[in-house]
Amino acid sequence: MQNSESIIDIGHVSKYFGEKAALDDVSFTVRKGEFVTILGPSGCGKTTLLRLIAGFLTVTEGSISIAGTDVTTIPPYLRPVNTVFQKYALFPHLNVFNNIAFGLNLKKRPSDEIKKRVNKVLKMVGMTDYEERDVDSLSGGQQQRVAIARAIVNEPEVLLLDEPLAALDLKMRKDMQMEIKAMHKKLGISFVYVTHDQEEALTLSDTIVVMSEGKIQQMGTPKAIYDEPANAFVADFIGESNILNGIMIEDNLVSFAGHQFECVDKGFESQEPVDVVLRPEDLYIFDPSEAAMLTGKVTSSIFKGVHYEMVVLTTEGYEFIIQDYHCFDAGKDVGLRVKPSDIHVMKKERLFNTFSGTVVDKAHVRFLNQVFECAEASSFTLGSTVSVYIDFKDVVLFDYEEDGLFGGDVKFILYKGNHYHLTVSTHGNENIYIDTNDVWDTSDRVGITFAPGSIHITNINS
Amino acid sequence: MAQPKFLTLLSLRRNWAIPYLLYLFVFVLIPLFLIVMYAFMDTEGTATLANFRKFWMQPEALNTFIYSVGIALITTFLCLILGFPAAYILSKTNTRGARILILLFILPMWINFLIRTLATVALFDFLNLPLGQGALLFGMVYNFLPFMIYPIYNVLQKTDQNLIEAAQDLGANPRQVFLKTIVPLSVPGITSGIMMVFMPVISTFAIAELLTINNIKLFGSTLQENIYNGMWNYGAALSLVMLLLIGVTSLLGSEGGAKSEEGGLL
C-alpha cells in the first residue's frame, strides 16, 4: 500500500510565538498512504506543527509542501488537507447531513452527487440514518464520527487529526482507534495524527515522530522507537523503563548500578558517561542463585491484570521496576538478570548545565541575567565572554521561590534508579538540569541557587 | 428555641423574593388586568368591542399605527446594517481595544435620552438641517444602536474559533467563512438585537415629538394623547393592540433564538 512518494515535506520549520520557539528546526517527510503520529507531552509543539500543515499558522522559518506544491504561504482553504478537530468543531446551526456536505456545497457539487457521497461516508463511520439529527443531540463519540466524515468526504490527500480521541472515555477510545486504523487502510490516504498517548501512537502508526520542547527527539517505526529509544526522554515517554546513569568501559561493556554488564553497543568513547535503559519486561526475576547479575529485595508487588509489577531495591541501592508473570512478594530476596541485547545504551544529551556568561569583575560572573560569585573569575579578563559549567548535583532547590536566587517551574522528572533528574524551566525560559534525591512534582514552583564554588568557567575560544 | 417570626421568614432564601413578587403584582399584573378590562368596556362600564371597532374604522389612529411600525422596521433595519459590522469589528479587536470601543458606544447611554435628544435638536439647528422624518430616523438609530450592537457582539465574541478554522479547512474563503459560518452563528444575537430595538421603538413618542416639532405623530403619541385627554377605554384598547404586536414579535424572536440561548438579552 505504501510507496516512497512523499506527500508532505516539512523543511527546517521553526515557529516562534514572540521570543519563545514552539518549533525549532523541524524536518520530516510523510509518504503517500502513511500513518504518521506526532507524539509528545503537552506543550511540545505537536499541535503547532499540525496547525502549520493545515495552514492556520504560518511558519517563521522553513517551508512546507504538500503533494509537490509549496504551500508555505497558501491559506488553509486552498490546501488539499482536511482536519479532524479535537473538540469536533461541528457547526451547531447545521444538521448532520449539512455539516458533512459543507465542503462539497462550497465546491458547488451537484446535489445528487453530494447526497451520494455524504451517505457513503455516513455508512463508513456507522452513522447511517442520522442525517437529519441536530449535532447537539449526538454523544461525544457520534460527534467525533461526524467530524471524521465531514473531513474525509472531501477526499483530501492528507487527513490531519488533532488528538481526536482525547475527549472520549477509555472503552470508546479503544473502539475508535480500531475504526480509525481500519478507515486508514480503506481510504489509502495519509494520516497525520497528533496525540500525547504513547499507547495510541504505538497501536496506530506506521511511523512515530516523538517531539519534546519543539524538537524531534526520534522518528521511526513503533517497534524501533520502543526497542531502541534515542535518548532518555524517549525511553521514559514511550512505555515504562528503568533509566540509569552508566559509564561505557569499552565497546560491548557498560557499567551501571555498581556492576559491569556485557552489552551490544559500541562506538562510544572509553569512560564516556551514558544513559542506560532497561525495559521492565526485559528483566528476569528469580530466587537468588549463581545466575544473578544483581541481587536485591522486592519492595512492592502489584498485580496488573496480565503480569505483576514489582519494584526491587538492589544491594547497591538502585531501584528497578520489573514486570513478570510470576509473583515475588514484597520482602523476598531475589536475583535479577538481563540479556546483553536488552541493555540499551544511549548517548547523554548533556553532562552538566552550560550557560554563556560574561566576567563582570575579579570575583563575579554574569549569566541567566544575574550576577553570581565565582572564584575562578580572577584569572579572566573583565568583560570576556565565558562558558559557565555547573554540575547537575550542585544545583540547590528550595520549596519557596523567594529562598532561591531565582525561580522556576519543574517541567520534567526522570527517575534514575537512585536519584531524580529534573528539568526546571526558569521564568526566562532557560532550562536547568538537576540531580536530587528529594521528591518534586511536575509544575512545582521552586527557588534555585548554585552551591558556592560550583560555578566553573572556561574561555569560549579556548 | 423560639425564633422571632420575621427571622424564620428570612431563613428561607426564596422568601427574599416576596417584596419583588408583591411589586410585580401591584405594578405589573394589576395594571395589565386593568388595561384589558378597560379596553373591552365603554365609559359606562358595559362590555363592548366598540373601542377596537373605532381603531379599525378611524383612519387616523390606524395610519399612525402603520406608520409607526414602518418607522420601527426602518430603524431596526438601519441599526442592523450599522450595528452588525460594528459588532463584528469589535469582536475582532483585542480585549483592551474592544473594551475602550464598547465604552465609547455605551457612554452616551449614561445620559438621559431626553437630554440626548434635545442635544440632537440643537445639533440639527446648528448644522441648519431640517427637523422632520430624516431627523426622526437619525434620533431613533442614534438612541437604539447600542441595543443592536451589544447582543450581536456578545454572540460573535463567544463564537468558537475552531468553527471558523473548520470552515476554512473545508475550503471556505474569507467571504464564505463570513456568510456561511459567522453570520448564521450570530443569528441568536441578531434576533435579540432586533427585538431590543423594534419593541421599544414602536412605543416611543418623546423622540418623535422633539425631532419633528410635533409634525409627525407616532403611535406612542396617539396613546399618550388619548390617556392624557381622559379617553381611558380607547387608550387601553390601543395599548392592547401595541402589546399584541410586541407579544407576537417576541414570540417570533424566541422561536428564532430557541436553538441557542446565548443571544442574551441585556
Side-chain angles (χ1 to χ4, degrees):
Chain A
M1 187 181 66
Q2 281 174 31
N3 58 48
S4 58
E5 206 183 322
S6 76
I7 189 82
I8 299 181
D9 269 302
I10 310 279
H12 302 286
V13 163
S14 297
K15 174 71 187 173
Y16 287 85
F17 293 112
E19 287 281 290
K20 201 173 167 359
L23 285 178
D24 185 7
D25 193 20
V26 168
S27 298
F28 72 91
T29 305
V30 177
R31 283 169 298 153
K32 232 177 196 158
E34 194 178 18
F35 197 128
V36 175
T37 300
I38 305 171
L39 174 67
S42 62
C44 72
K46 56 186 191 300
T47 298
T48 304
L49 183 54
L50 196 79
R51 291 170 60 76
L52 285 170
I53 299 174
F56 302 133
L57 296 171
T58 48
V59 301
T60 313
E61 278 162 43
S63 67
I64 298 173
S65 25
I66 302 174
T69 319
D70 187 344
V71 297
T72 313
T73 55
I74 287 184
Y77 65 93
L78 296 175
R79 297 192 182 196
V81 298
N82 284 113
T83 308
V84 177
F85 293 84
Q86 184 179 357
K87 291 188 185 116
Y88 321 133
L90 298 176
F91 302 115
H93 61 288
L94 300 175
N95 63 16
V96 169
F97 182 92
N98 285 321
N99 258 284
I100 298 174
F102 193 89
L104 297 174
N105 277 328
L106 287 172
K107 290 187 196 97
K108 304 244 166 13
R109 311 300 308 176
S111 66
D112 52 332
E113 183 199 326
I114 293 177
K115 206 164 161 49
K116 226 168 97 191
R117 280 167 73 172
V118 171
N119 284 331
K120 197 174 134 202
V121 290
L122 274 172
K123 198 170 163 202
M124 197 163 182
V125 297
M127 293 281 289
T128 321
D129 298 334
Y130 282 86
E131 293 100 319
E132 299 301 323
R133 286 280 289 273
D134 229 339
V135 290
D136 290 334
S137 69
L138 302 178
S139 73
Q142 289 171 328
Q143 291 194 25
Q144 191 54 273
R145 284 161 198 272
V146 175
I148 293 171
R150 185 179 66 175
I152 61 177
V153 78
N154 302 294
E155 294 169 2
E157 305 256 15
V158 182
L159 187 66
L160 308 175
L161 301 104
D162 183 9
E163 305 217 26
L165 309 182
L168 302 179
D169 63 56
L170 184 68
K171 175 85 174 63
M172 181 74 96
R173 201 154 65 220
K174 297 272 174 212
D175 293 346
M176 283 299 284
Q177 279 175 16
M178 288 305 114
E179 283 186 43
I180 286 176
K181 197 162 169 115
M183 218 177 283
H184 172 249
K185 225 174 204 146
K186 197 165 170 188
L187 292 169
I189 60 174
S190 310
F191 279 31
V192 179
Y193 190 101
V194 161
T195 182
H196 63 268
D197 182 339
Q198 46 104 4
E199 204 199 320
E200 202 163 283
L202 292 171
T203 312
L204 292 171
S205 332
D206 297 322
T207 304
I208 297 178
V209 179
V210 186
M211 290 191 60
S212 167
E213 293 172 32
K215 289 191 185 116
I216 294 181
Q217 302 293 325
Q218 191 175 3
M219 215 178 133
T221 63
K223 193 163 164 44
I225 286 193
Y226 189 85
D227 287 345
E228 289 298 330
N231 55 41
F233 172 83
V234 177
D236 180 66
F237 196 72
I238 310 271
E240 288 204 65
S241 9
N242 298 290
I243 303 171
L244 294 102
N245 286 335
I247 300 220
M248 205 67 189
I249 309 290
E250 59 191 54
D251 279 355
N252 299 330
L253 190 65
V254 63
S255 146
F256 61 89
H259 289 270
Q260 293 192 353
F261 296 82
E262 204 185 310
C263 65
V264 294
D265 298 86
K266 51 186 99 183
F268 293 90
E269 279 173 46
S270 176
Q271 300 301 318
E272 182 177 338
V274 289
D275 282 322
V276 177
V277 171
L278 306 169
R279 294 290 184 189
E281 67 273 20
D282 290 339
L283 284 159
Y284 296 94
I285 183 167
F286 41 84
D287 291 316
S289 74
E290 283 294 297
M293 291 168 161
L294 293 162
T295 55
K297 215 185 237 323
V298 178
T299 55
S300 91
S301 177
I302 298 163
F303 181 57
K304 286 275 189 162
V306 180
H307 56 258
Y308 291 87
E309 188 168 283
M310 291 156 283
V311 178
V312 171
L313 181 65
T314 67
T315 324
E316 292 81 16
Y318 292 87
E319 275 188 310
F320 288 89
I321 297 175
I322 294 137
Q323 290 171 354
D324 204 292
Y325 301 117
H326 304 287
C327 177
F328 292 83
D329 288 321
K332 213 169 163 355
D333 288 312
V334 290
L336 299 178
R337 201 179 160 77
V338 60
K339 281 194 288 188
S341 62
D342 287 334
I343 297 174
H344 309 296
V345 177
M346 297 172 312
K347 213 172 167 55
K348 272 189 179 288
E349 279 176 274
R350 62 188 71 75
L351 302 173
F352 21 68
N353 292 294
T354 323
F355 309 101
S356 94
T358 38
V359 177
V360 286
D361 62 36
K362 289 274 168 224
H364 292 92
V365 62
R366 181 184 178 83
F367 61 97
L368 290 172
N369 287 323
Q370 300 210 23
V371 175
F372 297 90
E373 212 169 295
C374 171
E376 293 174 21
S378 57
S379 48
F380 291 86
T381 44
L382 288 187
S384 59
T385 311
V386 290
S387 280
V388 180
Y389 297 98
I390 297 158
D391 234 37
F392 298 142
K393 63 174 172 36
D394 289 332
V395 183
V396 186
L397 295 185
F398 297 100
D399 278 322
Y400 298 100
E401 204 174 333
E402 303 79 55
D403 295 342
L405 284 172
F406 55 98
D409 299 303
V410 177
K411 229 165 69 182
F412 181 60
I413 302 172
L414 200 61
Y415 185 56
K416 288 272 185 111
N418 65 344
H419 68 272
Y420 296 94
H421 185 68
L422 308 186
T423 308
V424 174
S425 169
T426 67
H427 301 319
N429 272 318
E430 293 262 8
N431 283 340
I432 294 176
Y433 305 91
I434 298 131
D435 281 345
T436 173
N437 287 314
D438 301 329
V439 179
W440 300 90
D441 281 320
T442 14
S443 77
D444 273 353
R445 181 147 282 197
V446 293
I448 306 163
T449 35
F450 302 121
S454 66
I455 298 173
H456 305 290
I457 55 179
T458 59
N459 248 322
I460 255 174
N461 302 326
S462 64
Chain B
M1 212 165 38
Q3 257 181 340
K5 199 161 184 195
F6 76 96
L7 271 186
T8 334
L9 256 175
L10 275 180
S11 68
L12 259 183
R13 185 133 342 149
R14 69 156 185 263
N15 287 345
W16 297 6
I18 287 175
Y20 176 67
L21 289 175
L22 250 138
Y23 172 88
L24 206 68
F25 184 73
V26 176
F27 293 104
V28 179
L29 277 182
I30 292 183
L32 209 61
F33 175 73
L34 287 177
I35 288 177
V36 176
M37 214 174 71
Y38 272 89
F40 289 99
M41 278 189 333
D42 59 20
T43 36
E44 261 80 66
T46 24
T48 173
L49 285 174
N51 297 319
F52 293 96
R53 209 173 297 130
K54 187 173 166 194
F55 168 68
W56 194 245
M57 304 305 274
Q58 225 178 40
E60 200 213 324
L62 192 62
N63 284 347
T64 313
F65 181 71
I66 292 167
Y67 183 78
S68 301
V69 172
I71 288 284
L73 283 174
I74 295 170
T75 304
T76 311
F77 179 73
L78 288 175
C79 282
L80 184 62
I81 294 284
L82 292 170
F84 192 95
Y88 182 67
I89 291 163
L90 273 179
S91 74
K92 290 264 156 210
T93 322
N94 65 42
T95 337
R96 235 187 94 194
R99 222 175 280 156
I100 292 168
L101 279 173
I102 288 183
L103 192 70
L104 286 177
F105 275 114
I106 295 199
L107 206 62
M109 297 291 107
W110 293 352
I111 301 161
N112 180 284
F113 86 99
L114 269 179
I115 298 173
R116 254 182 294 142
T117 307
L118 285 168
T120 312
V121 173
L123 184 74
F124 269 66
D125 269 349
F126 177 74
L127 295 173
N128 255 337
L129 290 166
L131 293 173
Q133 188 169 283
L136 172 65
L137 282 173
F138 176 88
M140 292 286 203
V141 170
Y142 171 59
N143 267 297
F144 288 99
L145 187 57
F147 296 100
M148 181 65 85
I149 294 175
Y150 199 76
I152 298 177
Y153 165 73
N154 237 349
V155 171
L156 285 177
Q157 189 212 21
K158 277 188 226 137
T159 301
D160 187 357
Q161 197 56 35
N162 278 321
L163 294 177
I164 289 160
E165 285 184 358
Q168 292 174 333
D169 187 73
L170 292 165
N173 61 34
R175 205 178 67 96
Q176 289 167 321
V177 170
F178 184 78
L179 291 177
K180 307 229 174 224
T181 311
I182 294 169
V183 172
L185 286 173
S186 62
V187 163
I190 293 173
T191 314
S192 84
I194 287 176
M195 275 162 47
M196 286 172 66
V197 173
F198 184 73
M199 298 200 295
V201 164
I202 287 189
S203 57
T204 305
F205 62 92
I207 296 175
E209 282 172 12
L210 289 169
L211 283 173
T212 66
I213 341 174
N214 277 333
N215 277 334
I216 295 178
K217 216 155 84 177
L218 290 188
F219 197 58
S221 316
T222 313
L223 262 178
Q224 187 236 9
E225 268 169 22
N226 279 297
I227 302 281
Y228 200 69
N229 295 333
M231 319 259 293
W232 285 48
N233 301 88
Y234 186 45
L238 295 181
S239 303
L240 208 60
V241 169
M242 196 182 72
L243 277 175
L244 210 70
L245 182 73
I246 291 176
V248 168
T249 319
S250 65
L251 215 67
L252 286 177
S254 60
E255 192 98 317
K259 267 200 81 174
S260 164
E261 294 81 41
E262 282 173 24
L265 281 160
L266 267 173

